[in-house]
Amino acid sequence: MNLTTKEMIVTSLFAALTAIGALLTIPIGPVPVTLQVLFTLTAGALLGARLGLLSQILYLFIGAVGLPVYAGGGAGLAHLVGPTGGFLFSFPIAAYIVGRIVEEREDITLLGVLGPMVLGLILIYILGVVGLNIATDMGLKKAIAVGVLPFVIPDLIKALAGAYLTLRIKRIY
Amino acid sequence: MLNDIMLGQYLDRDSIVHSLDPRIKILLVILFIIVLFISKTLLGYAVLGGFIIISTLIAKIEFKYILKSLKPLLFIISLTLIIHLFLTKGGEVIWEWKFLSIEEKGLNLGLFMAARLIFLITFTSLLTLTTSPLELTDGLEKLLNPFKRFGVPAHELAMMMTIALRFIPTLLEESEKILKAQKARGADFESGNLIQKAKSLIPLLVPLFVSAFRRADDLALAMEARCYRGGEGRTRMNELHLSRADYLIGGATAIFLIFVAILI
């Protein structure tokens, strides 16, 4: 893997941004919603598959070495191997998939970015539920009720914001 | 707040655990996790629990920090316990009330799963409590080095980690500045329905992303002007060295854990 200095730095700044996204909580609804998923999906769309993937792996590393950058101020390896691990590990893959699809399109439209982002969200949910189920053995139905249903609507809105953001930034850069 | 974030969970103490090489500590934690998932008996779990308590004492970490690390996952731990208590059936009935009942198998499995999660969290947080983020980054780079030939960019990953760690406070400060600037211009981040709130984020996020890209440009230029050319032949200010104590303590603990996995 050959990275230019510029690519390395952009990737690490996106990892830092994702970490900050998890720290910024927005009081929407009963569950405090972080912007972390928005940054994950946008990283894929803006940086492309390869760098998007790398930036999210870096984000996981930052949390693993003890900085409180997982959703809700969590930190440490425990989150990666614990019940929330499935969600966390799905972020790099989701960023990769979003990047892959967006890269292949020549002109970027709002729907052309939103579609892959929703796909990325679905992937996050699937891996997250599987991880939750492995760690706690609570059964798929309950895992979905706990880990997916409360977040669907805020996440869709975040995906929409992320898609719009991607268009705006791509126009500037 | 910024200081809290930058040091992560690290607590500076003068202990054997703190001075252990980060590579050894990372490998021991991985081994512990494997043993935890293999071990299935009550005695095995008791021994592992004792092992965590003794390690904490040797590391001179107060137990309140260990308990604090459990807090974010407390909800999911109790949920696991409750679901197993009431919904896993089998064995003798221990307690009954109207339609609710707790049966032996549910009680056993619930306590077992909860203990596994608690051990997992406390031991892994012991790693981040006793090792600073930069030490861990160095350790990870060294551990990933052998995988270079399979295409794992060990040096690049560590370099990017360091840059990311360095820029988290900067970007956080930047986002606070933008937030205040937009508020001064009358931006409303608090009221309105979901869609309106999401929309109000745009004037915060667009400048944040743009400034991140600009910083990346500047830093890339600065690094290249100083002839940065990757990890090949780079020398370090502080080299990691494995001492005899590292081998002894690491080896003894590893043998102990493997012993627990195989025999108990």
Side-chain angles (χ1 to χ4, degrees), chain A residues 72-88:
Chain A
L77 269 177
H79 289 254
L80 283 178
V81 289
T84 51
F87 287 102
L88 290 172

Side-chain angles (χ1 to χ4, degrees), chain A residues 83-98:
Chain A
T84 51
F87 287 102
L88 290 172
F89 279 117
S90 70
F91 292 151
I93 304 169
Y96 181 83
I97 299 236
V98 174

Side-chain angles (χ1 to χ4, degrees), chain A residues 58-69:
Chain A
L58 272 181
Y59 161 71
L60 295 188
F61 271 142
I62 296 172
V65 300
L67 268 74
V69 297

Side-chain angles (χ1 to χ4, degrees), chain B residues 13 19 66 121-122 137 146 156 185 194 198-199 224 228 255:
Chain B
R13 300 276 191 281
S19 57
I66 297 282
I121 296 160
T122 45
T137 309
E156 283 81 358
R185 289 169 191 155
L194 262 134
K199 262 189 186 162
E224 271 166 2
Y228 174 75
I255 290 169

